[in-house]
Amino acid sequence: MKQIWKGLGAWEKAQCVLMAVLALMGVLLTAVRMWGMRFSGFLLLGAAALLALELWLGSWARRSKAGWWWRLAFRAAAGLVLVPLVLIEGVVIAEGHRQIAQETPDAVIVLGAGVNGTAPSLSLKTRLDAALSYLEAYPDIPVVLTGGQGYGEEITEAACMYDYLTARGVEPERLILEEAASNTAENFEFSAPLLEAAGVRVATDTVAVVTNDFHIARSRLIAAKKGYGVTVGVGAPIPWPHLEVNYYLREAFAVVKSVLFD
């Protein structure tokens, strides 16, 4: 092992140290689910594996022309994947931190999140608190609360949101419950006919979407795919600041999935 280490250049040694650090952090985050950042742990393990492959291909490239070509192909493939992901991440971050547009919306959709029994989870509560502030500014427009009933939930997410908002002064007649959706794509798909019935033309009218800030970019993308013409993001802060990087990183991969499948 010492002989191998002595044979490495300064750059390769730095790569080895970085790979070890990434792998150790990845193992810690995934094995003990440290700070709820399991996705980031898998991402770090993947980065360590890619770095290990780059080192091995570099060693092969110094001994063989075939190795040189394989390393070139690997770097090209990595670039084709990483560059779009970085660009997507930039859009996700920009959308999440964009100021709320001042144009008057024609309707609001509040996207559901987890419910603990009958009480909103912390994530859902931040969305509802953001919705409360927004609805006070626009008191005369319809609001769709969308979200079905998942595992461990005694009521639907829509019903939970209805209870929370009406208990804090929102007029019940403004609220339209959509209680079947189980994901973001269904949130928009199932909400569209309810909005149309309320006199909102989803293809041309402005619809405000309330969700967590990291989720704004993907929500607007999915809304556009479901026929919504103009959407405005109303972002609620992530309730766990230490998880902000984790959620924003994960969302870039989720955007790719939404482009391909939603």
Side-chain angles (χ1 to χ4, degrees):
M1 183 64 72
K2 288 183 178 179
Q3 289 296 107
I4 295 175
W5 179 256
K6 288 181 179 179
L8 296 176
W11 172 240
E12 290 170 321
K13 289 179 179 178
Q15 286 180 300
C16 286
V17 172
L18 178 60
M19 179 184 66
V21 171
L22 291 175
L24 178 60
M25 290 177 63
V27 168
L28 287 173
L29 292 177
T30 53
V32 301
R33 302 186 182 186
M34 189 177 293
W35 308 307
M37 297 181 65
R38 197 176 187 195
F39 177 82
S40 292
F42 284 122
L43 203 60
L44 289 172
L45 287 174
L50 290 175
L51 194 54
L53 183 55
E54 163 68 18
L55 285 166
W56 181 77
L57 288 172
S59 175
W60 185 19
R62 288 191 295 273
R63 304 191 309 269
S64 164
K65 188 69 173 178
W68 186 89
W69 282 108
W70 274 103
R71 184 177 65 175
L72 180 63
F74 168 74
R75 288 178 173 178
L80 288 173
V81 173
L82 293 176
V83 171
L85 277 175
V86 169
L87 294 175
I88 292 170
E89 188 64 49
V91 172
V92 169
I93 293 172
E95 284 291 317
H97 291 82
R98 186 192 299 272
Q99 285 192 335
I100 301 172
Q102 296 304 307
E103 59 185 295
T104 302
D106 298 290
V108 177
I109 294 178
V110 185
L111 302 185
V115 172
N116 300 322
T118 61
S121 63
L122 188 54
S123 179
L124 182 55
K125 184 179 181 300
T126 61
R127 298 184 187 190
L128 292 169
D129 289 339
L132 279 170
S133 298
Y134 194 74
L135 296 180
E136 286 178 6
Y138 303 101
D140 301 318
I141 57 176
V143 185
V144 173
L145 310 175
T146 171
Q149 185 173 352
Y151 179 78
E153 298 176 344
E154 296 179 19
I155 59 175
T156 64
E157 295 167 5
C160 177
M161 291 190 281
Y162 177 91
D163 293 342
Y164 188 93
L165 294 174
T166 54
R168 287 157 181 79
V170 178
E171 300 84 350
E173 57 271 16
R174 295 181 63 189
L175 305 178
I176 304 168
L177 274 64
E178 186 293 298
E179 300 182 274
S182 59
N183 55 50
T184 305
E186 290 182 353
N187 286 146
F188 288 106
E189 182 180 349
F190 298 165
S191 295
L194 300 177
L195 288 173
E196 294 284 347
V200 179
R201 295 167 295 178
V202 297
T204 56
D205 288 343
T206 300
V207 178
V209 180
V210 182
T211 186
N212 290 112
D213 49 17
F214 67 87
H215 192 225
I216 291 290
R218 183 158 61 99
S219 296
R220 296 186 66 201
L221 168 67
I222 294 173
K225 293 183 71 174
K226 296 300 179 181
Y228 289 73
V230 183
T231 54
V232 173
V234 180
I238 297 173
W240 312 278
H242 62 282
L243 292 181
E244 186 169 3
V245 173
N246 181 75
Y247 277 100
Y248 271 101
L249 286 174
R250 188 178 69 178
E251 198 65 14
F253 292 87
V255 167
V256 175
K257 172 185 172 293
S258 295
V259 169
L260 296 176
F261 301 111
D262 286 334

